[in-house]
Amino acid sequence: MGGFKESLAAAVRQMAFRTSLDSLKKKGVQQVSVLGIDRIVALVEAAVHRSLRSHLVGIEREAVADATKEEFLRLLRSNEDLQRQKSEIERLKERAEEEIDGLRRELATRHQELQLRLEQGAQAVADRYEGENAAIAQRVGEVLRSLAGAGAPTVADAEARVVELVLDVVSGERRSAEEARAALRDREVENLQRRIRKLNDALGQTEQRLQEVAAMKSVDDGISSIYREVQGLRPGEVQAQKKKELMAEIFKANLELQRKLEG
Amino acid sequence: MTESKQKDHGVLYIGMDLGTSRTSISASNGVRETIFSVVGYPKDVVSQKLLKKDVLYGKEAIDKRLSLKVYKPLEKGVLKYTGDAAMDGEAKANLKAAQDLIGEAIRHARPRKDELVYCVIGAPAEASVKNRAAIVEAARAHVDSVMLCSEPFSVAYGLDWLEDVLVIDIGAGTTDLCRMHGTMPEETDQVMYDVAGDAVDAELARLVAESCPGAQFTVQMIKEIKERYGFVGDSAERAVVELPVAGKPTTFDLTQQIGKACSILIDPILKGITKLVATFDPEFQQKLKNRVLLAGGGSMVKGLDSAVEKAMRERLGGGKVVRIEEPIYGGANGALKIAHDMPADYWEQLK
Ligand SMILES: Nc1ncnc2c1ncn2[C@@H]1O[C@H](COP(=O)(O)OP(=O)(O)OP(=O)(O)O)[C@@H](O)[C@H]1O
């Protein structure tokens, strides 16, 4: 039963709290009495024995003391098991939470990117149009000026003709260029939107998982039986002999059943 | 004794009553639970996602039955799977459902992982050897050691009535009479009638419809009224209930109808008693007549014990009837007691 003392010592250590001398001083404490763990363990043991001695004698006392120690160790162990299972659940939960966090951040970045791209697209189109318009005006001016120099029929006639000509050409060019650009941009935007959708789905799933983990009741440790060992009929039981026979009969029938199952 | 005695884990005994409509457990850690013997599996992936479970049991399975494939693996008191080589898919599914149900019942007992679990299952007396083997197979997956006994035996053992007992189990679908003179009754020791709880409900519904024109009710309402007021013989209290007539709650006194409906139980019971007594060893007939045990949910009909006694006086020249105190847990409690009294080596040998 050496393990008992160690476990008791560990339990005492666990239950103790730490404080510094300074903080004690601040509270006005000048002197402290020190009680070693070994001493505490011995005291607990002595106390258990003393209280048992007043009720029981000899072997019986030993047996009860042993049983108590065993029970104590068993409780400690099962408590440890429970702690392990709990921290496993907690770990799962933390992981799911981290995942959700990551997904949320990525989703926000993608949204920003998409917004930027859409704005950039609009600005680029405006800039381009402006540049193109200026170039066209310039070219029209040049044509007109050369026409005027050559002393052509009427300026108005010439202007109308040239503008018509140029605009016709330019607008055709512009349309096809615009279509190509639009197609390219739509693809990018579409890709971004698709990724956002996917991220959203992933987020939903992870959140559901988190909910499931949270819903997992803290693992049921079960309820202890009132029996520590196999019982069997008590000697003084009413109709003990008859019951013994009946138990043997049930056992025999079940043994046969098992043989059939295996054979 | 065997080595298990030295180990520091405890021993959890579980007594189980595997019934057609209900499965009850009673365990040595103080847990007692009962669940409807119904198991449901999601019909498809969508249902599964929605329900977030692979298997549902008892009331939950009944409530969500529309999205489930539902099994009642013990219907007619017998596990449907018979262990034949040429087992069809449906039979396999029933065995799986029975296994899952037994597992669920054991989980309800909340055993600790570090304890030995020894279980005694009271199975319907009429279960065939093959069916019993299937029950054991199903249980072995969940416990350290398991034994089967007949359900009427476990009921009687729970009261220390060890031999020459006539157990009458009044369930929902059937009333089963069984003569016990050992642990395993034989075919000739049993009689079964399909006049039981459900038949009383049907009769009461008929009488109410006949005598209360315009009253609206469902079978469930009738059943609840019966469970609240059910009696035979002299009534202790008037059964005054409200039923809607054209939507308006209306008061009816159903005392007479309830007494009449419940009394349909008496005749088959008497027929069964007469048959089982008459074919018993003449030397022990008197003893058998004096040890009639009423069990099952239907035995909660007030005055039934005295009514059966009275009828036995008239038709058999006497008899004594006792109603068990806890009809729902009678079988499970008895099985728990058997588990407790079973010697350690027997358990060990069946591991
Ligand atoms: N207080 C009560 N008074 C009268 N009848 C009752 C009462 N409580 C339950 N019952 C009836 O008992 C029946 C159910 O009994 P039980 O739970 O023993 O059934 P079961 O053994 O599973 O059924 P079966 O034997 O048919 O398989 C039902 O008909 C129910 O209405």
Side-chain angles (χ1 to χ4, degrees):
Chain A
M1 270 303 141
F4 174 68
K5 280 191 188 159
E6 274 128 50
S7 307
L8 192 51
V12 170
R13 236 176 263 128
Q14 245 181 18
M15 282 184 274
F17 65 92
R18 280 175 186 281
T19 182
S20 69
L21 290 176
D22 279 345
S23 72
L24 285 175
K25 268 190 201 141
K26 268 184 212 141
K27 287 181 196 156
V29 178
Q30 298 300 328
Q31 276 193 322
V32 292
S33 306
V34 176
L35 188 57
I37 281 181
D38 289 348
R39 186 86 187 98
I40 296 175
V41 170
L43 281 174
V44 172
E45 267 215 313
V48 169
H49 276 289
R50 198 171 318 126
S51 80
L52 285 173
R53 197 161 37 227
S54 60
H55 299 296
L56 310 161
V57 283
I59 305 167
E60 221 178 334
R61 193 182 75 220
E62 287 301 318
V64 175
D66 279 353
T68 312
K69 285 173 191 170
E70 268 180 61
E71 178 65 14
F72 174 78
L73 287 177
R74 199 175 64 77
L75 284 175
L76 263 190
R77 262 198 304 281
S78 62
N79 193 40
E80 279 160 16
D81 278 352
L82 199 60
Q83 291 297 345
R84 252 201 306 284
Q85 285 165 340
K86 248 212 195 109
S87 54
E88 173 66 9
I89 289 182
E90 237 126 61
R91 214 173 46 70
L92 277 174
K93 202 174 137 199
E94 261 166 35
R95 223 181 37 215
E97 271 168 356
E98 263 168 34
E99 226 172 283
I100 286 182
D101 222 41
L103 285 171
R104 282 227 178 87
R105 267 200 304 275
E106 193 173 347
L107 194 59
T109 318
R110 293 284 162 253
H111 264 303
Q112 258 172 13
E113 223 174 282
L114 177 64
Q115 201 53 40
L116 196 67
R117 211 153 272 238
L118 288 175
E119 277 166 17
Q120 273 174 351
Q123 188 58 45
V125 169
D127 289 353
R128 216 171 48 241
Y129 283 0
E130 221 164 89
E132 280 171 359
N133 289 349
I136 290 165
Q138 198 188 343
R139 270 172 57 206
V140 171
E142 276 164 18
V143 171
L144 280 180
R145 271 190 297 281
S146 70
L147 275 175
T154 66
V155 173
D157 264 4
E159 184 177 346
R161 254 187 38 233
V162 171
V163 167
E164 202 180 321
L165 183 86
V166 171
L167 279 186
D168 191 39
V169 173
V170 167
S171 65
E173 289 277 318
R174 200 185 253 170
R175 213 177 303 122
S176 56
E178 200 49 56
E179 270 165 18
R181 266 195 295 270
L184 188 66
R185 204 191 55 209
D186 284 354
R187 246 197 325 280
E188 277 175 22
V189 168
E190 222 171 74
N191 273 341
L192 271 174
Q193 280 172 337
R194 199 173 298 138
R195 289 184 66 184
I196 287 176
R197 253 199 314 277
K198 268 187 150 168
L199 278 172
N200 253 329
D201 287 351
L203 189 62
Q205 278 167 11
T206 313
E207 270 172 342
Q208 193 188 335
R209 249 204 348 263
L210 181 62
Q211 265 168 15
E212 280 166 20
V213 171
M216 267 161 78
K217 298 181 229 70
S218 52
V219 182
D220 185 8
D221 198 30
I223 299 176
S224 293
S225 172
I226 56 167
Y227 300 121
R228 295 290 98 212
E229 51 196 48
V230 183
Q231 300 295 295
L233 276 165
R234 269 184 296 268
E237 187 94 41
V238 272
Q239 307 182 73
Q241 191 50 39
K242 180 72 199 167
K243 283 180 180 168
K244 225 166 114 185
E245 286 166 28
L246 291 171
M247 293 300 110
E249 206 179 309
I250 292 175
F251 167 67
K252 240 177 66 201
N254 277 278
L255 199 61
E256 233 164 79
L257 203 60
Q258 192 181 47
R259 294 230 172 90
K260 275 202 187 97
L261 225 104
E262 280 160 2
Chain B
M1 208 169 275
T2 40
E3 45 143 1
S4 75
K5 201 166 174 185
Q6 276 89 47
K7 291 187 189 151
D8 75 332
H9 48 211
V11 183
L12 180 71
Y13 292 117
I14 300 177
M16 187 185 300
D17 176 359
L18 205 54
T20 316
S21 54
R22 255 192 293 224
T23 294
S24 308
I25 55 112
S26 187
S28 67
N29 57 2
V31 174
R32 287 156 143 233
E33 289 270 351
T34 184
I35 50 175
F36 290 108
S37 304
V38 179
V39 184
Y41 304 94
K43 268 185 187 152
D44 45 44
V45 185
V46 179
S47 315
Q48 186 169 6
K49 276 221 160 127
L50 222 65
L51 297 164
K52 294 199 186 94
K53 278 180 196 165
D54 299 329
V55 200
L56 282 80
Y57 302 95
K59 188 160 182 327
E60 197 182 8
I62 296 170
D63 290 346
K64 310 242 164 89
R65 64 187 173 281
L66 292 182
S67 18
L68 300 172
K69 178 121 182 52
V70 172
Y71 294 90
K72 291 184 80 182
L74 298 146
E75 214 144 72
K76 274 281 153 212
V78 182
L79 196 63
K80 281 178 171 172
Y81 164 61
T82 52
D84 283 322
M87 195 178 26
D88 60 15
E90 200 55 10
K92 265 193 195 136
N94 261 306
L95 176 66
K96 165 102 174 42
Q99 274 172 333
D100 287 343
L101 177 69
I102 290 171
E104 175 70 2
I106 288 166
R107 273 192 294 282
H108 273 267
R110 305 185 56 196
R112 290 178 56 95
K113 278 198 218 62
D114 56 358
E115 288 188 338
L116 274 174
V117 182
Y118 288 162
C119 180
V120 168
I121 300 180
E126 68 270 24
S128 68
V129 172
K130 277 178 182 170
N131 288 319
R132 283 185 223 144
I135 292 172
V136 168
E137 198 182 337
R140 273 169 113 191
H142 304 279
V143 299
D144 293 288
S145 194
V146 56
M147 289 197 210
L148 219 65
C149 69
S150 78
E151 204 250 349
F153 174 77
S154 64
V155 170
Y157 193 87
L159 299 184
D160 277 340
W161 286 20
L162 303 185
E163 47 188 350
D164 307 322
V165 186
L166 211 163
V167 180
I168 304 175
D169 182 358
I170 309 162
T174 58
T175 294
D176 301 86
L177 289 90
C178 183
R179 182 170 73 191
M180 297 297 318
H181 50 92
T183 58
M184 286 287 177
E186 288 157 26
E187 196 102 358
T188 48
D189 295 319
Q190 301 163 44
V191 230
M192 187 173 96
Y193 297 97
D194 55 14
V195 178
D198 293 345
V200 172
D201 299 344
E203 176 64 4
L204 183 55
R206 194 184 68 78
L207 292 172
V208 172
E210 203 177 83
S211 57
C212 311
Q216 295 168 302
F217 56 83
T218 62
V219 177
Q220 184 58 31
M221 287 158 71
I222 290 291
K223 189 169 141 177
E224 277 162 22
I225 292 170
K226 173 200 71 178
E227 290 179 5
R228 165 71 182 79
Y229 293 104
F231 77 96
V232 290
D234 300 324
S235 66
E237 60 173 333
R238 313 240 27 110
V240 179
V241 300
E242 273 190 356
L243 294 173
V245 174
K248 183 169 167 282
T250 311
T251 305
F252 293 97
D253 184 339
L254 298 180
T255 314
Q256 194 233 332
Q257 291 89 327
I258 292 171
K260 203 165 160 205
C262 290
S263 66
I264 66 167
L265 293 170
I266 298 175
D267 219 39
I269 289 176
L270 251 291
K271 241 196 264 162
I273 295 177
T274 310
K275 186 173 168 206
L276 292 178
V277 169
T279 52
F280 202 49
D281 183 339
E283 200 182 322
F284 297 103
Q285 288 186 4
Q286 192 57 37
K287 192 174 173 201
L288 192 63
K289 277 198 289 187
N290 283 327
R291 291 157 71 87
V292 175
L293 202 53
L294 284 188
S299 71
M300 285 191 270
V301 167
K302 289 182 258 319
L304 190 60
D305 43 357
S306 338
V308 172
E309 246 176 41
K310 182 162 166 264
M312 283 179 81
R313 262 200 309 278
E314 287 160 10
R315 299 188 216 176
L316 290 164
K320 194 146 179 30
V321 180
V322 170
R323 176 216 316 260
I324 70 168
E325 266 175 34
E326 294 186 299
I328 303 292
Y329 288 101
N333 287 344
L336 177 60
K337 201 159 166 204
I338 294 169
H340 174 281
D341 291 352
M342 194 62 72
D345 343 337
Y346 290 173
W347 284 120
E348 295 284 333
Q349 284 187 59
L350 287 173
K351 267 187 184 171

